[in-house]
Amino acid sequence: MPVKTPTARLSYAKLHKPEQTKDGKDKYSCMLIFEPGTDLSELEDAAWEAALDYFGSEAKMPIGVRKKKLEKGSGWPFRDGEDQDGKDGHEEGGLYLNVSTYNTAPQVVRKQKGVMHNVDEDEIKSGDYVKAMLTPKGYSADGNKGVTFYLGNVLLIKVGEALGGGATDPNSDFADEDDSEVEDFEDDADLGDDDEEEERPKKNSAKKRRDEDDEDDDDLL
């Protein structure tokens, strides 16, 4: 059964353009980063129930699921933000989820005056804040067992600062640069134009002299 997340920060967002899996499926995915202290009990309960349903009993669950271990490979879907080595958006004590869906893109929307509007690719980015509908399911594949969340619809809550090297303002980037370099460049460009203009009369004068010489030769014949 789908469950709605609390507000999370979006990272590694691939919501409109999928990646191709080895078996040819379109994979839409993202990371959802939760601030320290966020109440994730509803998500955790849903994951636990999905594990019980899939494995049949607590005793049959993988030990990582049974003990709700946060590290990679445990089978429990939640991860400790500290394993991201201080990457943008992660705080000490925060958790995150990697979620995905296949073949059909999630519907990404925003709410305005009570009406839902579709959000285009250029209107959402890693760093924005969202809520998402997730469906927990148990899995057993390639020797791995556990619980994962499949990504459903995504609601844009508010715009945030871009994560992962997003576009920056060139005016801010170069605000402390010495203007003299730019002025020199502009002066050089102007000189280049003048030189070109000066060169044209020289070429025209040379052509005129050749024409006059030709006329003199004709008179001698």
Side-chain angles (χ1 to χ4, degrees):
M1 182 176 178
V3 59
K4 183 167 62 178
T5 72
T7 298
R9 197 157 189 198
L10 189 64
S11 188
Y12 296 101
K14 297 179 179 66
L15 303 176
H16 293 85
K17 289 183 178 178
E19 293 180 304
Q20 281 279 303
T21 63
K22 292 180 180 179
D23 55 358
K25 293 180 180 179
D26 288 336
K27 180 181 179 180
Y28 301 88
S29 61
C30 66
M31 178 186 286
L32 299 173
I33 304 172
F34 301 99
E35 293 181 354
T38 301
D39 183 6
L40 300 175
S41 58
E42 190 173 357
L43 287 173
E44 292 172 342
D45 289 346
W48 185 260
E49 290 300 320
L52 282 175
D53 182 62
Y54 186 81
F55 295 106
S57 68
E58 183 176 342
K60 294 180 181 179
M61 291 180 189
I63 189 170
V65 175
R66 192 161 64 244
K67 293 191 174 183
K68 299 181 179 180
K69 292 184 176 181
L70 300 177
E71 63 264 23
K72 185 178 179 180
S74 69
W76 187 241
F78 299 89
R79 297 283 177 269
D80 189 338
E82 290 185 9
D83 70 14
Q84 292 295 298
D85 297 324
K87 291 180 182 176
D88 285 353
H90 294 273
E91 300 178 54
E92 184 177 354
L95 299 180
Y96 69 92
L97 287 170
N98 288 314
V99 295
S100 59
T101 189
Y102 297 88
N103 295 328
T104 302
Q107 189 169 1
V108 185
V109 297
R110 60 181 173 83
K111 191 173 183 180
Q112 185 175 4
K113 296 181 178 180
V115 179
M116 292 296 176
H117 300 268
N118 288 330
V119 173
D120 294 331
E121 182 181 7
D122 60 354
E123 296 176 313
I124 190 168
K125 65 184 183 303
S126 294
D128 292 341
Y129 293 84
V130 300
K131 290 185 177 182
M133 298 302 297
L134 305 181
T135 301
K137 288 187 179 180
Y139 66 87
S140 179
D142 300 325
N144 299 313
K145 296 180 180 181
V147 180
T148 190
F149 282 101
Y150 286 96
L151 178 63
N153 296 329
V154 176
L155 175 66
L156 177 60
I157 299 295
K158 64 177 181 178
V159 173
E161 184 178 350
L163 297 178
T168 58
D169 180 3
N171 294 298
S172 298
D173 290 341
F174 304 119
D176 60 348
E177 290 295 319
D178 186 349
D179 288 345
S180 63
E181 294 182 70
V182 179
E183 291 171 356
D184 287 344
F185 177 80
E186 291 175 348
D187 291 341
D188 290 344
D190 291 341
L191 285 173
D193 292 340
D194 291 342
D195 291 344
E196 187 176 346
E197 290 299 325
E198 290 175 5
E199 186 66 22
R200 289 193 192 104
K202 291 178 182 178
K203 290 180 180 179
N204 291 336
S205 297
K207 183 177 183 300
K208 183 177 180 181
R209 283 197 300 272
R210 286 196 301 271
D211 292 342
E212 290 174 349
D213 290 341
D214 290 342
E215 289 176 3
D216 291 340
D217 291 340
D218 289 342
D219 291 341
L220 291 173
L221 291 175

